[in-house]
Amino acid sequence: MILLILISLSRIHNHLGIGQLRPALVLAAVCAGIALANPGLTNSRRIVAFWPARVILALAVVACLSAPFGLSLGASAVFIVENYLKVIVLTFLTIAGIRHGRDLRAFVWAYVASCAILASFAIFIFDLESTSGGLQRLSNLYTFDANDIATILMSGLPLTFVVYQTSRGAGRFLAAATLIGIAVSMARSGSRGGFLALLAVGLGLLFWLPGVSAVRRVAFVGTAAIGLSIAAPAGYWEQMNTLLNLKEDYNWDTYYGRRQTAERGVEYMLRYPLFGVGIGNFARADATISERARTFVDRPGHALRWRAAHNSYVEIGSEMGFTGLVLWLCLIFGGIGSMRRLRRRLPHAWQRGDPDERFIYYMTVCLPISIIGFAVAAFWVSFAYLDPIYILMAFVVGVHMTVDQKRQNEQTFALEPKARRHFATDDRFGRRKVSARPGAAAVGRR
């Protein structure tokens, strides 16, 4: 599972030249086979015991229903089989693989390692390219563009803080190096959506970390800010200043700009309110049922483009209707709220408890910030059906499962000594026999 998360997020297989072998698909099949053959190695019995898993399952059902009610059954079916199914399988394999706190830590480490790999690609592998406006930014990052990589890095930055806080020695050093790499990569991306997400994450880390000293919070966020400032390429701050003058940006008034594209997406959602135009069909809708498509006259120099939504909320709302949009928003806002509520119920002693307790405490604090970072960056990318938000939801489930497991253990040890001093059994003649519980004295001392 660790390798599957690494490949899905970092796309390292493309850098290694083994993309044609479909390693993500192969690993997913292998992990699923192992889980089915050895259910004792997984937590499969509780795979849908928590609400995020049930919401994700409901989203998968709505995706399937959107296909026959949308514009193209074939296009939606191909998208589900080739893209969305892999994400759903990865999500439930991750949930099933979280048996205890150690598994959750390993998967979070895989997410942070994926961010480290993406950052290394952005810094050492890919060169900056100049745009027409004089901005130098990354381009063509192994199927990701600059906005895409910013979305993954911003959802991974708070998890990097969790790893930093709960690690020692080499682990803490790697987390600090990843933080710097993320900051430099954000500067090289030139992404305005990523910059807004960075502001949201930075404010969350500054003001939403109870129990963490102000000095450490400022040092962590300040390191990221310094790295961003030093690595900012030519034209970066001019590009960010355009956020203050949105009406002067090309995305405001051009037909294929983000504003008008979003307006068309809302129109498709209103025309197909229940299940949308079908998962994977936004570009088809833009080229077939939009007002421009209905009145288009083919002539030299003019063409209808098949363009993505470039906004995750518009994407899922237009393709899966209000039903899909509401379910997807439940994941985002529900994930933030459930972690906040859970943190308030945790004992304060967990902040300085054993490794599992410390890790869970910081996850309840930082995982909501990761979701916020994704939610802000998602306004600029088509990530409604990609891995990050679903893996984050698997982590939400994992945190709840780990807390429940520890509470059950604590309740077992909290039994009165007299209650656990003896236990009843039946002898071979069916007669009731009370005998001393093995290890009862040891448990009582604990």
Side-chain angles (χ1 to χ4, degrees):
M1 279 306 305
I2 293 175
L3 285 177
L4 185 55
I5 293 174
L6 277 172
I7 287 175
S8 299
L9 292 175
S10 70
R11 307 296 173 91
I12 190 173
H13 55 289
N14 292 321
H15 178 68
L16 299 176
I18 58 174
Q20 294 181 343
L21 299 178
R22 306 294 295 273
L25 179 62
V26 173
L27 281 173
V30 170
C31 292
I34 294 174
L36 292 174
N38 301 278
L41 298 177
T42 68
N43 197 27
S44 56
R45 288 178 297 178
R46 304 188 69 194
I47 195 169
V48 291
F50 296 90
W51 68 265
R54 295 194 291 270
V55 172
I56 292 171
L57 189 60
L59 270 173
V61 171
V62 173
C64 293
L65 290 174
S66 75
F69 291 99
L71 298 180
S72 173
L73 172 61
S76 292
V78 169
F79 185 86
I80 290 172
V81 172
E82 293 187 352
N83 297 279
Y84 198 46
L85 181 60
K86 187 264 297 182
V87 175
I88 298 299
V89 170
L90 169 63
T91 303
F92 283 104
L93 285 175
T94 303
I95 294 173
I98 301 174
R99 300 162 298 175
H100 39 63
R102 291 190 302 275
D103 291 329
L104 180 59
R105 284 203 304 273
F107 293 160
V108 171
W109 257 108
Y111 202 111
V112 173
S114 300
C115 293
I117 292 171
L118 283 174
S120 66
F121 288 164
I123 298 171
F124 302 111
I125 303 299
F126 294 99
D127 295 325
L128 300 178
E129 296 183 3
S130 297
T131 65
S132 57
L135 171 68
Q136 291 186 324
R137 65 184 304 183
L138 295 169
S139 181
N140 302 321
L141 292 89
Y142 294 137
T143 74
F144 286 139
D145 67 13
N147 290 319
D148 295 339
I149 192 175
T151 304
I152 297 174
L153 294 180
M154 284 302 95
S155 60
L157 179 58
L159 299 180
T160 305
F161 182 81
V162 174
V163 170
Y164 179 83
Q165 282 291 105
T166 58
S167 299
R168 295 291 183 270
R172 176 164 286 195
F173 173 79
L174 290 174
T178 301
L179 165 66
I180 297 173
I182 288 174
V184 174
S185 300
M186 290 302 300
R188 291 171 65 85
S189 73
S191 170
R192 290 175 292 184
F195 179 76
L196 292 176
L198 180 60
L199 289 179
V201 169
L203 291 174
L205 292 175
L206 277 176
F207 301 108
W208 212 0
L209 291 181
V212 180
S213 68
V215 173
R216 181 162 293 184
R217 281 180 277 171
V218 171
F220 194 85
V221 176
T223 300
I226 293 172
L228 176 73
S229 301
I230 294 175
Y236 178 81
W237 294 111
E238 289 78 2
Q239 175 81 342
M240 299 306 110
N241 284 333
T242 62
L243 291 168
L244 302 176
N245 301 288
L246 294 178
K247 292 186 177 181
E248 298 178 6
D249 189 79
Y250 75 94
N251 279 305
W252 185 264
D253 54 8
T254 60
Y255 181 79
Y256 288 109
R258 295 180 185 275
R259 184 179 70 89
Q260 292 196 28
T261 299
E263 290 176 352
R264 294 195 300 277
V266 173
E267 177 188 344
Y268 305 149
M269 183 167 54
L270 294 175
R271 291 175 61 181
Y272 296 81
L274 192 57
F275 296 118
V277 298
I279 186 171
N281 275 333
F282 182 89
R284 181 180 297 273
D286 229 22
T288 57
I289 66 172
S290 65
E291 181 180 356
R292 180 170 182 167
R294 294 195 301 268
T295 60
F296 179 74
V297 177
D298 192 9
R299 57 189 186 276
H302 294 77
L304 285 172
R305 301 179 185 176
W306 291 54
R307 294 288 298 270
H310 294 295
N311 183 307
S312 300
Y313 304 89
V314 172
E315 179 185 31
I316 198 165
S318 60
E319 294 185 351
M320 293 172 60
F322 286 101
T323 309
L325 178 60
V326 169
L327 289 172
W328 203 71
L329 291 176
C330 285
L331 289 180
I332 292 176
F333 291 104
I336 296 170
S338 69
M339 288 292 96
R340 293 279 292 170
R341 290 190 297 272
L342 180 60
R343 186 193 63 79
R344 288 195 291 267
R345 295 198 300 268
L346 291 180
H348 292 295
W350 279 32
Q351 185 181 353
R352 293 178 175 83
D354 63 38
D356 279 354
E357 291 171 349
R358 294 181 64 245
F359 184 80
I360 290 301
Y361 179 86
Y362 283 110
M363 282 293 288
T364 60
V365 173
C366 292
L367 187 51
I369 303 176
S370 287
I371 300 173
I372 290 173
F374 172 85
V376 174
F379 272 98
W380 301 75
V381 294
S382 300
F383 260 51
Y385 315 120
L386 295 185
D387 306 285
I389 185 60
Y390 297 91
I391 296 178
L392 292 178
M393 289 301 109
F395 291 166
V396 170
V397 174
V399 171
H400 280 289
M401 286 195 299
T402 304
V403 170
D404 280 3
Q405 183 184 66
K406 289 190 70 66
R407 283 176 172 171
Q408 289 173 3
N409 293 338
E410 289 173 357
Q411 288 172 1
T412 300
F413 293 132
L415 291 174
E416 290 295 329
K418 291 182 180 180
R420 47 184 163 82
R421 187 177 302 157
H422 299 86
F423 69 100
T425 62
D426 292 332
D427 63 14
R428 60 177 179 164
F429 300 108
R431 295 174 300 191
R432 204 66 171 169
K433 180 177 66 175
V434 178
S435 59
R437 180 172 182 172
V443 173
R445 287 195 300 270
R446 180 174 177 180

